[in-house]
Amino acid sequence: MEWIGIRTPQKPFYHLAGGALALDSGARLGDLNGVPAFIGRRQQHSNATFSTTLRYTPAREGDRAGLAAVQSDRSNLFFGLTRIAGKPVVALYTRDAADTDGLVACAPVVDSGPVTLTIRVTGGTIGFDYGVGGSTKTLKDDIDATLLSTKKAGGFVGTVIGLYHYSPAR
């Protein structure tokens, strides 16, 4: 009962495959006319850790899968796998009371195995770690978490953090 999405889907966008959760693509975050393939839980504490392991290879520019922290359609962030300039990368994008994302940081992913993503929330800051092939690295640390606050972003729902998948129309 703790798992929620954004808007009501007309058809399910998730299923179990081989014991793992699989998300079909949905609308991009911020698309008011669609339903993002996002399933998350409300952040209940100012100190929290969220983690998932992905088996995903972005096939085309703009494909994304990973973790999203959502306060609203205009204030959210994405941390996960995507393709930039033809190469798979782990990336962090933020949207701070805006209609478009800004790339904060990215790093190449050379191992094609599973990637573990971790978001660390500590009071007013957020850190982003990723693990590939037994090695864990920090992509970005000490990001200002107030972009996801009700005070700055408006609204009333609080932050919801969870799994997200998007592929642009083909």
Side-chain angles (χ1 to χ4, degrees), residues 13-160:
F13 57 79
Y14 60 90
H15 59 278
L16 293 178
L21 180 66
L23 297 180
D24 299 327
S25 178
R28 69 173 174 76
L29 286 174
D31 179 355
L32 297 174
N33 296 315
V35 177
F38 171 82
I39 185 166
R41 294 182 62 158
R42 291 189 191 281
Q43 180 184 341
Q44 297 177 310
H45 306 284
S46 59
N47 295 325
T49 302
F50 302 87
S51 185
T52 191
T53 299
L54 296 178
R55 287 170 187 81
Y56 175 77
T57 301
R60 299 175 67 176
E61 295 287 317
D63 286 357
R64 293 182 181 186
L67 293 170
V70 179
Q71 206 293 328
S72 71
D73 288 301
R74 298 188 76 233
S75 297
N76 54 65
L77 63 81
F78 166 77
F79 173 54
L81 298 175
T82 189
R83 187 171 283 273
I84 298 175
K87 299 187 190 287
V89 298
V90 62
L92 171 62
Y93 288 90
T94 61
R95 184 178 299 186
D96 190 354
D99 292 323
T100 59
D101 298 335
L103 178 63
V104 176
C106 68
V109 178
V110 293
D111 189 334
S112 63
V115 176
T116 299
L117 304 170
T118 303
I119 296 177
R120 295 174 284 102
V121 182
T122 309
T125 63
I126 309 175
F128 303 87
D129 303 323
Y130 66 100
V132 181
S135 173
T136 300
K137 297 179 182 178
T138 297
L139 181 66
K140 197 71 175 165
D141 218 357
D142 296 326
I143 296 292
D144 183 3
T146 62
L147 77 103
L148 298 172
S149 71
T150 300
K151 181 176 181 179
K152 185 171 182 183
F156 59 90
V157 298
T159 302
V160 179

